[in-house]
């Protein structure tokens, strides 16, 4: 009798251990079973996730990285588009499996989500009016100014840290942000150096510029996954490392960032922001 109970107990514990062992890998197993990867992105962020003029084909640095990752993981790929402020909630709700949209890896975000290794390194800059730099000579001068951008972004957190008022938008294209600075509805837009420099190049008629003296907050961007997707992260990181070693990341970066390699850390000296809790 005791031997029979012991056997049942051992079998029960084995089942529990198997279940616990597979729980952390459930996302990767789910994707393998379904054979499809659903990824959230904005579709309005040039040059990482956007539609070229006259085209209905989504492309960009992030988009093409994701296509290559899915291909190497042997998964079909589809994109779902959301405003920047809705991308994290799309993971939480299960509407998407991952998000890629130049998402900075921060300590607070890592408490709730799993990030891949960085596929992009950069730093933050600031778009201001051409004629007077929006009255901004230092980061401290942001206080009381109006900052345009998504309310949940790191860039908005930086602006708030220095006392700016945040004007948030829906899923709008870059020209809306820039025109609002030019016409005085807002005073500045803090964002990624590569994205802002190329946006200005694409829209030279708008009377704004990058602030010539302010380069700050070194950044790195990763693919966002659910918080318990440890094995999925391992698989994605393996692919990204392969793409780094075989030159794919460099090739894609130069294609979309005007010949610049954003897959490597910049050599430029960039100011760290003290007291900013991300």
């Amino acid at each position: 009798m005791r031997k029979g109970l012991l056997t049942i107990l051992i079998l029960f514990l084995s089942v529990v251990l198997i279940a616990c062992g597979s729980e952390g890998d459930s996302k990767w197993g789910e994707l393998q079973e379904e054979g499809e990867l659903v990824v959230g992105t904005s579709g309005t962020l040039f040059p990482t996730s956007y539609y070229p003029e006259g085209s209905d084909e989504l492309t960009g640095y992030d988009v093409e990285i994701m296509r290559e990752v899915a291909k190497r993981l042997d998964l079909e790929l589809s994109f779902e588009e959301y405003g920047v402020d809705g991308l994290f909630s799309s993971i939480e709700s299960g509407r998407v499996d991952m998000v890629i949209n130049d998402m900075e890896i921060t300590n607070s975000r890592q408490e709730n989500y799993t990030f891949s290794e960085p596929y992009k390194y950069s730093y933050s800059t600031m778009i201001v009016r051409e004629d007077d730099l929006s009255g901004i000579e230092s980061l401290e001068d942001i206080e009381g100014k109006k900052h345009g951008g998504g309310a949940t972004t790191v860039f908005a957190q930086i602006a708030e840290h220095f006392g700016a008022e945040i004007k948030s938008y829906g899923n709008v294209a870059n020209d809306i942000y820039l025109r609002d600075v030019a016409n005085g509805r807002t005073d500045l837009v803090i964002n990624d150096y590569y994205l802002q420099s190329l946006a200005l190049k694409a829209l030279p008629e708008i009377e704004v510029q990058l602030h010539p003296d302010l380069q700050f907050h070194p950044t790195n961007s990763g693919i966002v996954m659910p918080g318990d997707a440890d094995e999925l992260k391992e698989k994605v990181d393996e692919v990204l490392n392969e793409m780094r070693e075989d030159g794919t990341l460099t090739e894609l970066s130069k294609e979309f960032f005007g010949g610049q390699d954003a897959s490597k850390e910049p050599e430029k000296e960039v100011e760290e922001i003290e007291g900013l809790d991300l």
Side-chain angles (χ1 to χ4, degrees), residues 54-112:
S55 172
D56 59 0
E57 179 71 20
L58 184 66
T59 190
Y61 180 57
D62 288 24
V63 169
E64 300 308 326
I65 284 176
M66 202 68 250
R67 287 198 170 110
E68 186 64 22
V69 168
K71 178 182 175 182
R72 297 190 189 199
L73 291 177
D74 197 25
L75 296 171
E76 296 294 323
L77 175 66
S78 63
F79 289 100
E80 296 287 339
E81 293 171 27
Y82 298 91
V84 174
D85 292 340
L87 286 169
F88 284 109
S89 62
S90 71
I91 293 182
E92 294 169 7
S93 66
R95 296 192 300 273
V96 302
D97 302 306
M98 299 180 186
V99 160
I100 189 165
N101 203 69
D102 200 44
M103 290 295 191
E104 183 180 343
I105 304 169
T106 67
N107 292 333
S108 61
R109 287 174 174 175
Q110 287 179 306
E111 291 176 3
N112 299 305

Side-chain angles (χ1 to χ4, degrees), residues 3-23:
K3 185 177 181 181
L5 288 172
L6 182 60
T7 301
I8 292 171
L9 181 59
I10 291 172
L11 288 171
F12 174 75
L13 288 173
S14 298
V15 170
V16 170
L17 289 171
I18 291 170
C20 291
S22 62
E23 184 177 355

Side-chain angles (χ1 to χ4, degrees), residues 190-239:
I190 296 173
N191 210 302
D192 173 78
Y193 161 73
Y194 291 109
L195 271 61
Q196 290 198 319
S197 60
L198 287 170
L200 292 178
K201 186 176 180 180
L203 299 162
E205 73 280 5
I206 304 176
E207 296 181 351
V208 294
Q209 68 172 56
L210 286 181
H211 199 293
D213 303 318
L214 301 178
Q215 297 86 35
F216 49 94
H217 187 58
T219 61
N220 48 53
S221 301
I223 300 170
V224 193
M225 293 164 272
D228 59 351
D230 294 338
E231 188 177 6
L232 178 57
K233 169 184 165 57
E234 183 180 327
K235 299 295 182 184
V236 171
D237 284 348
E238 286 176 4
V239 170

